[in-house]
Amino acid sequence: MAEVVKRPVLITDTILRDAHQSLIATRMKTESMIPIIETMDQVGYHSVECWGGATFDSCIRFLKEDPWDRLRTLRKGFKNTKLQMLLRGQNLLGYRHYADDMVEYFVQKSIANGIDIIRIFDALNDLRNVQTSIDATKKEGGHAQIAISYTLSAVHTLEFYAKTAKRIEEMGADSICIKDMAGLLVPYAATELVTALKETVKLPIQLHAHYTSGVAGMTYLKGVEAGADIIDTAMSPFSMGSSQPATEVMVETFKGTPYDSGLSQELLAEVADHFRPLRDESIASGLMNDKVMGVDIKALLYQVPGGMLSNLVSQLQKQNQMSKYYDVLKEIPKVRADFGFPPLVTPSSQIVGSQALFNILGGERYKMITKESKALVKGEYGTTPVQISQEIIKKIIGDEKQITCRPADLLKPELKANEAEMKRFQIQDEDVLTYAMFPQVAREFFEYREAQMTKIDPSLADKENKVYPV
Ligand code: CO
């Protein structure tokens, strides 16, 4: 009888990052995480994704928390589990390109404060934009995972993905992630894609999908059968909808098969019990909207990632324009086509999303053009997958010329200048990075922090307990 080769699937849990970013606009506080860290640390996850993405911005903007403190707290608690973060390559955790000295310093500090695995991606899959991050991660002894932003268009073929994977391997990455932000990767396409990548590269392959379109669990099943090594899941209270498939469900799916993860349902149940009240609270307060909780098959039509959906809902609610929801959704693929078919992921998702919002709410397409739309069309984020038409170039940037070099090659070192500007607020090395990425918000946060520390303004203390509605 032929021996069955065991190939246990590894699990990355996203509840401390992507899951709450996708379902409750990244509002989970560190204090909600602390009591369960010890239990989560015993589960045996391959890694816990807990930092980066929008968590940094949300910490200083809404939660009035120091993101570096959060990272150190998590590091202290997770003694056996690898901590993973999401980094937007040359954009770091902000929304523009930063000079190489910033990228190097940020990676150095992330690893020094406790990160083991850095998942790096570029919204346009322009690999020139991830090289500095890979090199810095390797230099600091971290694991550099490069994510390919998965999207659909005439140029995003199997051959394109295999070629991209090959280049990533040559660039020195340790693993590859297929990052399916919008739930576009359907099960049988996952079989083909994972098979193609496995035939092309030797690196471990991780699948990252969102449940938005309802297929992600099946996609993982087919992907793992085809050779995927690691899957991203979220503990059930913050799973599905625009988040990831539920950890417990995937663990049960593979139980007793060659892919059995070996994780204990009892321990997972304890973790879920901790987060369930937070889900209930989020629903009661409206922070978790039913628009992001169910299956939205229109995601397949509009190719909108989870985080973008919850942002869009929040923007439209604020302006009392919820009735325009589907109009904006319909406009998104049109703007995407105009802008050269970028995958929709931060920051391109915000750029395309905001432009689509303006096109609809303004009553006329491109009557109002955002600064970011101009930068994207100009080439300041890198090369778009498809060349943008002359007509659109003219409409968006007029007579200005597109740039074709790696955008960061045009940037001078900027760390020193930032340091000079924010010196008076600095209480730790890392503050300069916080400031450089979010100057305005960081300043307000530093002022708040200062007031908290000196307790000169008691009215500010209330802010800590304030519920921030979306
Ligand atoms: Co995601």
Side-chain angles (χ1 to χ4, degrees):
M1 206 173 102
E3 203 189 325
V4 180
V5 182
K6 289 216 168 102
R7 192 162 57 72
V9 65
L10 303 175
I11 307 270
T12 293
D13 204 289
T14 67
I15 188 153
L16 304 183
R17 204 284 297 177
D18 202 3
H20 73 98
Q21 179 172 329
S22 299
L23 290 174
I24 56 167
T26 337
R27 298 298 204 274
M28 196 186 286
K29 297 174 182 169
T30 306
E31 64 181 45
S32 304
M33 306 172 183
I34 291 172
I36 199 62
I37 292 178
E38 209 185 312
T39 311
M40 285 184 78
D41 194 33
Q42 294 164 28
V43 167
Y45 296 120
H46 163 69
S47 64
V48 169
E49 192 201 37
C50 58
W51 209 63
T55 62
F56 199 102
D57 187 353
S58 176
C59 270
I60 56 170
R61 191 185 299 265
F62 304 112
L63 305 176
K64 300 294 176 224
E65 284 188 27
D66 181 355
W68 298 99
D69 266 348
R70 172 181 290 188
L71 175 54
R72 288 186 287 263
T73 301
L74 292 166
R75 179 70 285 167
K76 218 171 132 216
F78 281 106
K79 295 182 167 57
N80 312 301
T81 311
K82 287 191 180 122
L83 301 187
Q84 185 168 322
M85 73 168 290
L86 181 68
L87 187 72
R88 304 178 194 128
Q90 209 71 28
N91 295 331
L92 297 177
L93 303 178
Y95 306 101
R96 67 169 176 92
H97 276 244
Y98 297 95
D100 288 334
D101 66 335
M102 279 276 299
V103 175
E104 282 156 7
Y105 195 50
F106 183 85
V107 168
Q108 184 195 326
K109 284 298 180 187
S110 300
I111 292 176
N113 280 284
I115 290 293
D116 299 292
I117 301 171
I118 305 189
R119 175 177 294 167
I120 308 157
F121 76 98
D122 177 66
L124 303 179
N125 289 319
D126 184 338
L127 295 178
R128 298 173 305 173
N129 295 333
V130 298
Q131 185 72 64
T132 305
S133 310
I134 299 182
D135 295 345
T137 304
K138 299 306 294 172
K139 187 175 162 226
E140 302 300 325
H143 176 118
Q145 176 176 82
I146 302 304
I148 307 173
S149 305
Y150 183 78
T151 191
L152 304 170
S153 84
V155 295
H156 292 94
T157 58
L158 276 184
E159 199 194 348
F160 163 85
Y161 286 114
K163 241 194 220 162
T164 305
K166 189 75 203 160
R167 276 180 61 207
I168 289 171
E169 186 170 59
E170 287 161 4
M171 287 167 85
D174 297 298
S175 62
I176 293 177
C177 172
I178 300 166
K179 182 175 166 60
D180 178 19
M181 309 74 69
L184 303 176
L185 183 60
V186 291
Y188 288 97
T191 304
E192 288 181 9
L193 180 56
V194 173
T195 304
L197 295 199
K198 277 284 171 186
E199 280 168 1
T200 313
V201 296
K202 291 193 180 66
L203 301 179
I205 304 288
Q206 182 153 7
L207 292 179
H208 175 86
H210 287 257
Y211 211 89
T212 325
S213 62
V215 299
M218 294 181 277
T219 297
Y220 281 177
L221 177 63
K222 299 309 282 181
V224 168
E225 284 177 357
D229 303 276
I230 317 160
I231 51 174
D232 280 11
T233 62
M235 289 304 303
S236 56
F238 284 86
S239 70
M240 305 181 66
S242 59
S243 173
Q244 273 77 53
T247 306
E248 302 94 308
V249 173
M250 293 319 301
V251 164
E252 200 62 23
T253 299
F254 292 117
K255 193 172 263 175
T257 75
Y259 317 109
D260 195 333
S261 69
L263 302 195
S264 145
Q265 288 290 8
E266 283 70 33
L267 270 178
L268 291 174
E270 256 184 71
V271 178
D273 285 346
H274 167 78
F275 286 108
R276 203 166 295 109
L278 194 60
R279 175 193 174 88
D280 296 342
E281 265 170 50
S282 304
I283 293 173
S285 71
L287 188 57
M288 200 189 282
N289 187 287
D290 66 356
K291 278 270 187 309
V292 297
M293 285 158 64
V295 165
D296 192 345
I297 204 66
K298 290 208 158 73
L300 286 174
L301 289 176
Y302 307 126
Q303 307 192 3
V304 178
M308 189 174 170
L309 276 183
S310 82
N311 260 332
L312 185 62
V313 169
S314 136
Q315 281 175 325
L316 286 170
Q317 273 175 342
K318 260 187 222 145
Q319 306 192 36
N320 250 328
Q321 296 273 11
M322 234 5 241
S323 60
K324 298 271 169 64
Y325 182 67
Y326 283 108
D327 292 333
V328 179
L329 276 188
K330 268 183 216 153
E331 176 66 9
I332 287 170
K334 292 181 192 158
V335 174
R336 178 172 174 251
D338 287 346
F339 288 1
F341 290 99
L344 293 182
V345 61
T346 307
S348 55
S349 53
Q350 280 82 352
I351 299 170
V352 170
S354 303
Q355 190 59 56
L357 195 74
F358 282 123
N359 285 1
I360 294 297
L361 298 188
E364 185 189 324
R365 306 190 76 217
Y366 304 115
K367 187 166 126 191
M368 150 100 201
I369 297 162
T370 68
K371 195 170 97 233
E372 289 76 17
S373 293
K374 283 184 185 155
L376 177 68
V377 171
K378 206 176 159 190
E380 285 175 10
Y381 290 93
T383 306
T384 50
V386 173
Q387 175 65 41
I388 300 171
S389 77
Q390 284 307 318
E391 189 200 336
I392 291 291
I393 293 174
K394 183 101 189 135
K395 194 174 255 178
I396 307 292
I397 60 170
D399 292 329
E400 282 188 72
K401 277 224 149 19
Q402 279 188 307
I403 61 162
T404 54
C405 64
R406 183 185 76 116
D409 285 339
L410 300 173
L411 302 173
K412 290 193 188 70
E414 54 184 311
L415 205 51
K416 286 227 154 60
N418 275 300
E419 220 152 31
E421 272 177 42
M422 55 73 65
K423 200 90 207 130
R424 84 156 207 75
F425 295 109
Q426 194 164 27
I427 60 167
Q428 58 181 345
D429 290 349
E430 290 79 1
D431 286 344
V432 65
L433 292 161
T434 310
Y435 177 80
M437 285 188 289
F438 306 98
Q440 185 59 37
V441 184
R443 208 194 152 83
E444 282 162 27
F445 170 70
F446 292 151
E447 279 164 0
Y448 167 82
R449 183 175 68 180
E450 215 167 67
Q452 283 298 100
M453 285 188 325
T454 50
K455 291 274 177 221
I456 45 171
D457 185 355
S459 75
L460 282 167
D462 296 341
K463 277 196 181 168
E464 238 183 2
N465 300 319
K466 191 171 167 190
V467 178
Y468 290 86
V470 212

